[in-house]
Amino acid sequence: MLQPLSPGNPLVRIFNTVPFILQVVLGLCIGILLALVYPYDTSVLPTFGTLFVSALKAIAPLLVFVLVSAAIARHSKGVRTNMKPILAMYFISMALASLLALVMSYLFPSTFTELAAAADNVNPPQGISDVLLNFVRQAVDNPVNALLNGNYVAILVWGICFGLMFRVAHEPTKLVLDDLAQTVGGVVRIVIRFAPLGVMGLVYSSCTADGGFSNLLNYVHVVVVLVVTMLIVALVINPVIVFAVTRKNPYPLILASLTNSAVTAFFTRSSAANIPVNLELCRRLNIPESTYSISIPLGCTINMCGAAVTIVIMTMAGVNTLGIETDFASAFLMCIAAVLCACGTSGIAGGSLMLIPLACSIFGISSDIAMQIVGIGFIIGVLQDSTETALNSSSDVVFTAAACGITNYPEK
């Protein structure tokens, strides 16, 4: 549980007797109840959610930069960071997720009887080379601009560069950097304390938006296939990977990551906004900071197993709708493309949908039709994108902890 802000205050003591995750669930339930009772508020209640997500997005870039720099600056030779096994688990999970999505697409084929109107003003990448080139261009962005715009690729690159230079700095300088990291981390913990109010506002906004959850009725089948596939990844594939690495029961760790990370990621719909939540969870799991301060922001950038699922299933639904005959070799190539594309998916809501046209191009589907599929993706994003983000973000913690041999959530 997060540390109380003022331990001597009786009200704060009472407030902190309620487990934090229960507070979040209460916020969720209150948001739904308020949406049913009074669905007319367009300013006050939705503002809670907007402010919470905005605060997380505002502090996350600075937090990532400072933590990465500080972790590398104080890193000593012989200290393990466990990055190789973490990266291996990231890519294995994405590959297996995309293959599972392909199997589910064959077993439970989805079709779009009506294609939604094409999304306007969208410029999807035209090939895998575009994805890789965009990645490189992001990496050399101006560091100040990267912090302002939340460009986590550039933030990671510059954080690593500054950290390497700080390694030869005087000890007092390193102590200042450590103090700055602790200060920013404290600010983040204050922001996270408002998660129950933020979740209440976010779920109220979702339930009272135009159409609300009724928007999903026309696309129930594809939504069910997407969500079930992601749940299988979260509850079967990821535990198998963790067990293969640790030889321990993976489910205490899986459940801890789902309840503490996936819940907030589900409602923020942003892997980037969930970085502070994941860093705090890693701290409570007693994972070495030298590991999680790098692996969590890196996972936000490249660990996108949920995005791989979305790209494969939505593309195959388009293939089925158009009656295109596919062989295994072409479908497998599309899976590989999905994994590569997922690594370039931005950590914002709906980021994976922008890469569906790239996967569709493998089957000769025109960009006009592919963009209509993207339009459908935005309609079902109420559940699809929320579940995808929850899977992506919680997996970052799961694999980071597994690489450090941690599978149990510590008691309070």
Coordinates of all heavy atoms in Angstrom, one line a residue, residues 196-258:
P196 N -8.1 6.9 -6.9 CA -9.6 6.6 -6.8 C -10.5 7.6 -7.4 O -11.5 7.3 -8.1 CB -9.8 6.4 -5.2 CG -8.4 6.0 -4.7 CD -7.4 6.8 -5.6
L197 N -10.2 8.9 -7.1 CA -10.9 10.0 -7.7 C -10.8 10.0 -9.2 O -11.8 10.3 -10.0 CB -10.5 11.3 -7.1 CG -11.0 11.6 -5.7 CD1 -10.4 12.9 -5.2 CD2 -12.5 11.7 -5.6
G198 N -9.6 9.8 -9.7 CA -9.3 9.8 -11.1 C -10.1 8.7 -11.8 O -10.7 8.9 -12.9
V199 N -10.1 7.5 -11.3 CA -10.8 6.4 -11.8 C -12.3 6.7 -11.8 O -13.0 6.3 -12.8 CB -10.5 5.1 -11.1 CG1 -11.4 4.0 -11.5 CG2 -9.0 4.6 -11.4
M200 N -12.8 7.3 -10.8 CA -14.2 7.6 -10.7 C -14.6 8.5 -11.9 O -15.6 8.3 -12.6 CB -14.5 8.3 -9.4 CG -16.0 8.7 -9.2 SD -16.3 9.8 -7.8 CE -15.5 11.3 -8.3
G201 N -13.8 9.5 -12.1 CA -14.0 10.5 -13.2 C -13.9 9.8 -14.6 O -14.7 10.1 -15.5
L202 N -12.9 8.9 -14.7 CA -12.7 8.3 -16.0 C -13.9 7.3 -16.4 O -14.4 7.3 -17.5 CB -11.4 7.5 -16.0 CG -10.1 8.4 -16.0 CD1 -8.9 7.6 -15.7 CD2 -10.0 9.1 -17.4
V203 N -14.3 6.6 -15.4 CA -15.4 5.6 -15.7 C -16.7 6.3 -15.9 O -17.6 5.9 -16.7 CB -15.5 4.5 -14.6 CG1 -16.1 5.1 -13.3 CG2 -16.3 3.3 -15.0
Y204 N -16.9 7.5 -15.2 CA -18.1 8.3 -15.4 C -18.1 8.8 -16.8 O -19.1 8.8 -17.5 CB -18.1 9.4 -14.4 CG -19.3 10.3 -14.5 CD1 -20.5 10.0 -13.8 CD2 -19.3 11.5 -15.4 CE1 -21.6 10.8 -14.0 CE2 -20.4 12.3 -15.5 CZ -21.6 11.9 -14.8 OH -22.7 12.7 -14.9
S205 N -17.0 9.3 -17.3 CA -16.9 9.8 -18.7 C -17.2 8.7 -19.7 O -17.9 8.9 -20.7 CB -15.5 10.4 -18.9 OG -15.2 11.5 -18.1
S206 N -16.6 7.5 -19.4 CA -16.9 6.4 -20.4 C -18.3 6.0 -20.5 O -18.9 5.7 -21.5 CB -16.0 5.2 -20.0 OG -14.6 5.5 -20.0
C207 N -19.0 6.0 -19.3 CA -20.4 5.5 -19.3 C -21.3 6.6 -19.8 O -22.5 6.2 -20.2 CB -20.8 5.2 -17.8 SG -19.9 3.7 -17.2
T208 N -20.9 7.9 -19.8 CA -21.9 8.9 -20.2 C -21.5 9.5 -21.6 O -22.2 10.4 -22.0 CB -21.9 10.1 -19.2 OG1 -20.5 10.6 -19.0 CG2 -22.4 9.6 -17.9
A209 N -20.5 8.9 -22.2 CA -20.1 9.4 -23.6 C -21.2 9.0 -24.6 O -22.0 8.2 -24.3 CB -18.8 8.8 -24.0
D210 N -21.1 9.6 -25.7 CA -22.2 9.4 -26.7 C -22.2 7.9 -27.0 O -21.3 7.3 -27.5 CB -21.8 10.1 -28.0 CG -22.0 11.6 -27.8 OD1 -22.7 12.0 -26.9 OD2 -21.5 12.4 -28.7
G211 N -23.4 7.3 -26.8 CA -23.5 5.8 -27.1 C -23.1 5.0 -25.9 O -23.6 3.9 -25.7
G212 N -22.1 5.5 -25.1 CA -21.6 4.7 -24.0 C -21.2 3.3 -24.4 O -20.6 3.1 -25.5
F213 N -21.4 2.3 -23.6 CA -21.1 0.9 -23.9 C -22.0 0.3 -25.0 O -21.7 -0.7 -25.5 CB -21.1 0.1 -22.7 CG -19.9 0.4 -21.7 CD1 -20.1 1.2 -20.6 CD2 -18.7 -0.2 -22.0 CE1 -19.1 1.4 -19.8 CE2 -17.6 0.1 -21.1 CZ -17.8 0.9 -20.0
S214 N -23.1 1.0 -25.3 CA -23.9 0.5 -26.4 C -23.3 0.5 -27.7 O -23.7 -0.2 -28.6 CB -25.2 1.3 -26.4 OG -25.0 2.6 -26.8
N215 N -22.2 1.3 -27.9 CA -21.5 1.3 -29.1 C -20.9 0.0 -29.5 O -20.6 -0.3 -30.6 CB -20.3 2.3 -29.1 CG -20.8 3.8 -29.1 OD1 -21.9 4.0 -29.7 ND2 -20.1 4.7 -28.5
L216 N -20.7 -0.9 -28.5 CA -20.1 -2.2 -28.7 C -21.0 -3.2 -29.2 O -20.6 -4.3 -29.7 CB -19.5 -2.7 -27.4 CG -18.5 -1.8 -26.7 CD1 -18.0 -2.4 -25.4 CD2 -17.3 -1.5 -27.6
L217 N -22.3 -3.0 -29.2 CA -23.3 -4.0 -29.5 C -23.1 -4.5 -31.0 O -23.3 -5.7 -31.3 CB -24.7 -3.5 -29.3 CG -25.1 -3.2 -27.8 CD1 -26.5 -2.7 -27.7 CD2 -24.9 -4.5 -27.0
N218 N -22.8 -3.6 -31.9 CA -22.6 -4.0 -33.3 C -21.4 -4.8 -33.6 O -21.3 -5.4 -34.6 CB -22.6 -2.7 -34.2 CG -23.9 -2.0 -34.2 OD1 -25.0 -2.6 -34.0 ND2 -23.9 -0.7 -34.3
Y219 N -20.5 -4.8 -32.6 CA -19.2 -5.5 -32.8 C -18.8 -6.4 -31.7 O -17.7 -6.6 -31.3 CB -18.1 -4.5 -33.0 CG -18.4 -3.4 -34.1 CD1 -18.8 -2.1 -33.7 CD2 -18.4 -3.8 -35.4 CE1 -19.1 -1.2 -34.7 CE2 -18.7 -2.8 -36.4 CZ -19.0 -1.6 -36.0 OH -19.4 -0.6 -37.0
V220 N -19.9 -7.0 -31.1 CA -19.7 -7.9 -29.9 C -18.7 -9.0 -30.2 O -17.8 -9.3 -29.4 CB -21.0 -8.4 -29.4 CG1 -20.8 -9.5 -28.4 CG2 -21.9 -7.3 -28.9
H221 N -18.8 -9.6 -31.3 CA -18.0 -10.8 -31.6 C -16.5 -10.5 -31.6 O -15.7 -11.2 -30.9 CB -18.4 -11.5 -33.0 CG -17.7 -12.8 -33.2 ND1 -16.5 -12.9 -33.8 CD2 -18.1 -14.0 -33.0 CE1 -16.1 -14.1 -33.9 NE2 -17.1 -14.9 -33.4
V222 N -16.1 -9.5 -32.4 CA -14.7 -9.2 -32.5 C -14.2 -8.7 -31.1 O -13.0 -8.9 -30.7 CB -14.4 -8.1 -33.6 CG1 -15.0 -6.8 -33.2 CG2 -13.0 -8.0 -33.9
V223 N -15.0 -7.9 -30.4 CA -14.6 -7.5 -29.0 C -14.4 -8.7 -28.1 O -13.3 -8.7 -27.4 CB -15.7 -6.5 -28.4 CG1 -15.4 -6.3 -27.0 CG2 -15.7 -5.2 -29.2
V224 N -15.3 -9.6 -28.1 CA -15.1 -10.8 -27.3 C -13.8 -11.6 -27.6 O -13.1 -12.0 -26.8 CB -16.3 -11.7 -27.4 CG1 -16.1 -13.1 -26.7 CG2 -17.6 -11.1 -26.8
V225 N -13.6 -11.8 -28.9 CA -12.4 -12.5 -29.4 C -11.1 -11.7 -28.9 O -10.2 -12.3 -28.4 CB -12.4 -12.7 -30.9 CG1 -11.0 -13.3 -31.4 CG2 -13.5 -13.6 -31.3
L226 N -11.1 -10.4 -29.1 CA -10.0 -9.6 -28.6 C -9.7 -9.7 -27.1 O -8.6 -10.0 -26.7 CB -10.2 -8.1 -29.0 CG -10.0 -7.7 -30.5 CD1 -10.6 -6.4 -30.7 CD2 -8.5 -7.7 -30.8
V227 N -10.8 -9.5 -26.4 CA -10.7 -9.5 -24.9 C -10.3 -10.9 -24.4 O -9.4 -11.0 -23.5 CB -11.9 -9.0 -24.2 CG1 -11.9 -9.2 -22.7 CG2 -12.2 -7.5 -24.6
V228 N -10.9 -11.9 -24.9 CA -10.6 -13.3 -24.5 C -9.1 -13.6 -24.8 O -8.4 -14.2 -24.0 CB -11.6 -14.3 -25.1 CG1 -11.1 -15.7 -24.8 CG2 -13.0 -14.1 -24.5
T229 N -8.7 -13.3 -26.0 CA -7.3 -13.5 -26.4 C -6.3 -12.8 -25.4 O -5.3 -13.4 -25.0 CB -7.1 -13.1 -27.8 OG1 -8.0 -13.7 -28.7 CG2 -5.6 -13.4 -28.3
M230 N -6.6 -11.6 -25.1 CA -5.7 -10.9 -24.2 C -5.7 -11.5 -22.8 O -4.7 -11.5 -22.1 CB -6.1 -9.4 -24.2 CG -5.9 -8.7 -25.5 SD -6.3 -6.9 -25.4 CE -6.3 -6.5 -27.1
L231 N -6.9 -11.9 -22.4 CA -7.0 -12.6 -21.0 C -6.2 -13.9 -21.0 O -5.5 -14.2 -20.0 CB -8.5 -12.9 -20.7 CG -9.3 -11.6 -20.3 CD1 -10.8 -12.1 -20.1 CD2 -8.8 -11.0 -19.1
I232 N -6.2 -14.6 -22.1 CA -5.4 -15.8 -22.2 C -3.9 -15.5 -22.1 O -3.1 -16.2 -21.5 CB -5.7 -16.6 -23.5 CG1 -7.2 -17.2 -23.5 CG2 -4.8 -17.8 -23.7 CD1 -7.6 -17.8 -24.8
V233 N -3.5 -14.4 -22.8 CA -2.1 -14.0 -22.7 C -1.8 -13.7 -21.3 O -0.7 -14.1 -20.8 CB -1.9 -12.8 -23.6 CG1 -0.5 -12.3 -23.4 CG2 -2.1 -13.2 -25.1
A234 N -2.6 -12.9 -20.6 CA -2.4 -12.5 -19.3 C -2.4 -13.6 -18.2 O -1.5 -13.6 -17.3 CB -3.4 -11.4 -18.8
L235 N -3.3 -14.5 -18.4 CA -3.5 -15.6 -17.4 C -2.9 -16.9 -17.7 O -2.9 -17.8 -16.9 CB -5.0 -15.7 -17.1 CG -5.7 -14.5 -16.6 CD1 -7.2 -14.7 -16.5 CD2 -5.2 -14.1 -15.3
V236 N -2.5 -17.1 -19.0 CA -1.9 -18.4 -19.3 C -0.5 -18.2 -19.9 O 0.5 -18.8 -19.4 CB -2.8 -19.1 -20.4 CG1 -2.1 -20.5 -20.8 CG2 -4.1 -19.4 -19.8
I237 N -0.3 -17.5 -21.0 CA 1.0 -17.3 -21.6 C 2.0 -16.7 -20.7 O 3.1 -17.2 -20.5 CB 0.8 -16.6 -23.0 CG1 0.1 -17.5 -24.0 CG2 2.2 -16.2 -23.5 CD1 -0.1 -16.8 -25.3
N238 N 1.7 -15.5 -20.2 CA 2.6 -14.8 -19.3 C 3.0 -15.7 -18.1 O 4.2 -15.7 -17.7 CB 2.0 -13.5 -18.9 CG 2.1 -12.4 -20.0 OD1 2.7 -12.7 -21.0 ND2 1.6 -11.3 -19.8
P239 N 2.0 -16.3 -17.4 CA 2.4 -17.2 -16.3 C 3.4 -18.3 -16.7 O 4.3 -18.7 -16.0 CB 1.1 -17.7 -15.8 CG 0.1 -16.7 -16.1 CD 0.6 -16.1 -17.4
V240 N 3.1 -18.9 -17.9 CA 4.0 -20.0 -18.4 C 5.4 -19.4 -18.6 O 6.4 -20.1 -18.2 CB 3.5 -20.6 -19.7 CG1 4.5 -21.5 -20.3 CG2 2.2 -21.4 -19.4
I241 N 5.6 -18.2 -19.1 CA 6.9 -17.6 -19.3 C 7.5 -17.4 -18.0 O 8.7 -17.6 -17.8 CB 6.7 -16.3 -20.1 CG1 6.3 -16.6 -21.5 CG2 8.1 -15.6 -20.2 CD1 6.0 -15.3 -22.3
V242 N 6.8 -16.8 -17.0 CA 7.3 -16.5 -15.7 C 7.8 -17.8 -15.0 O 8.9 -17.9 -14.4 CB 6.3 -15.8 -14.8 CG1 6.8 -15.7 -13.4 CG2 6.0 -14.4 -15.4
F243 N 7.0 -18.9 -15.1 CA 7.3 -20.2 -14.5 C 8.6 -20.7 -15.1 O 9.5 -21.3 -14.4 CB 6.2 -21.2 -14.6 CG 6.5 -22.5 -14.1 CD1 6.5 -22.8 -12.7 CD2 6.8 -23.6 -14.9 CE1 6.8 -24.0 -12.2 CE2 7.1 -24.8 -14.4 CZ 7.1 -25.0 -13.0
A244 N 8.7 -20.6 -16.5 CA 9.9 -21.1 -17.1 C 11.2 -20.4 -16.7 O 12.2 -21.0 -16.6 CB 9.7 -21.0 -18.7
V245 N 11.0 -19.2 -16.3 CA 12.2 -18.4 -15.8 C 12.5 -18.6 -14.4 O 13.6 -18.8 -14.0 CB 12.0 -16.9 -16.1 CG1 13.1 -16.0 -15.5 CG2 11.9 -16.6 -17.6
T246 N 11.4 -18.6 -13.5 CA 11.6 -18.6 -12.1 C 11.5 -20.0 -11.4 O 11.9 -20.3 -10.3 CB 10.6 -17.7 -11.4 OG1 9.3 -18.1 -11.6 CG2 10.8 -16.3 -12.0
R247 N 10.7 -20.9 -12.1 CA 10.4 -22.2 -11.6 C 9.6 -22.1 -10.3 O 9.7 -22.9 -9.3 CB 11.6 -23.1 -11.3 CG 12.5 -23.4 -12.5 CD 11.7 -24.2 -13.5 NE 12.4 -24.4 -14.8 CZ 12.0 -25.0 -15.8 NH1 10.7 -25.5 -15.8 NH2 12.7 -25.1 -16.9
K248 N 8.8 -21.0 -10.2 CA 8.0 -20.8 -9.0 C 6.5 -20.5 -9.5 O 6.3 -20.2 -10.6 CB 8.5 -19.6 -8.2 CG 9.9 -19.7 -7.6 CD 10.3 -18.4 -7.0 CE 11.7 -18.5 -6.4 NZ 12.1 -17.2 -5.8
N249 N 5.6 -20.6 -8.5 CA 4.2 -20.3 -8.8 C 4.1 -18.9 -9.3 O 4.3 -17.9 -8.5 CB 3.3 -20.6 -7.6 CG 1.8 -20.2 -7.8 OD1 1.4 -20.0 -9.0 ND2 1.1 -20.2 -6.8
P250 N 3.7 -18.6 -10.5 CA 3.6 -17.2 -11.0 C 2.4 -16.4 -10.7 O 2.4 -15.2 -10.8 CB 3.7 -17.5 -12.6 CG 2.9 -18.7 -12.8 CD 3.3 -19.6 -11.5
Y251 N 1.4 -17.1 -10.2 CA 0.1 -16.4 -10.1 C 0.0 -15.3 -9.0 O -0.7 -14.4 -9.1 CB -1.1 -17.4 -9.9 CG -1.4 -18.0 -11.3 CD1 -0.9 -19.3 -11.6 CD2 -2.1 -17.3 -12.2 CE1 -1.1 -19.8 -12.9 CE2 -2.3 -17.9 -13.5 CZ -1.9 -19.1 -13.8 OH -2.1 -19.6 -15.0
P252 N 0.7 -15.5 -7.8 CA 0.7 -14.3 -6.9 C 1.2 -13.0 -7.6 O 0.7 -12.0 -7.4 CB 1.7 -14.8 -5.8 CG 1.5 -16.3 -5.8 CD 1.4 -16.6 -7.3
L253 N 2.3 -13.2 -8.4 CA 2.8 -12.0 -9.1 C 1.8 -11.5 -10.2 O 1.6 -10.3 -10.3 CB 4.2 -12.4 -9.7 CG 4.8 -11.3 -10.7 CD1 5.1 -10.0 -9.9 CD2 6.0 -11.9 -11.3
I254 N 1.2 -12.5 -10.9 CA 0.3 -12.1 -12.0 C -0.9 -11.3 -11.4 O -1.3 -10.3 -11.9 CB -0.2 -13.4 -12.7 CG1 0.9 -14.1 -13.4 CG2 -1.3 -13.0 -13.7 CD1 1.5 -13.3 -14.6
L255 N -1.5 -11.9 -10.3 CA -2.6 -11.2 -9.7 C -2.3 -9.8 -9.1 O -3.0 -8.9 -9.2 CB -3.2 -12.1 -8.6 CG -3.8 -13.4 -9.1 CD1 -4.3 -14.3 -7.9 CD2 -5.0 -13.2 -10.1
A256 N -1.1 -9.7 -8.5 CA -0.6 -8.5 -8.0 C -0.5 -7.4 -9.1 O -0.9 -6.3 -8.9 CB 0.7 -8.6 -7.2
S257 N 0.1 -7.8 -10.2 CA 0.2 -6.9 -11.3 C -1.1 -6.5 -11.9 O -1.3 -5.3 -12.3 CB 1.2 -7.5 -12.4 OG 0.6 -8.6 -13.0
L258 N -2.0 -7.4 -12.0 CA -3.4 -7.1 -12.5 C -4.1 -6.2 -11.7 O -4.8 -5.2 -12.1 CB -4.1 -8.4 -12.8 CG -3.6 -9.4 -13.9 CD1 -4.5 -10.6 -13.9 CD2 -3.7 -8.7 -15.2

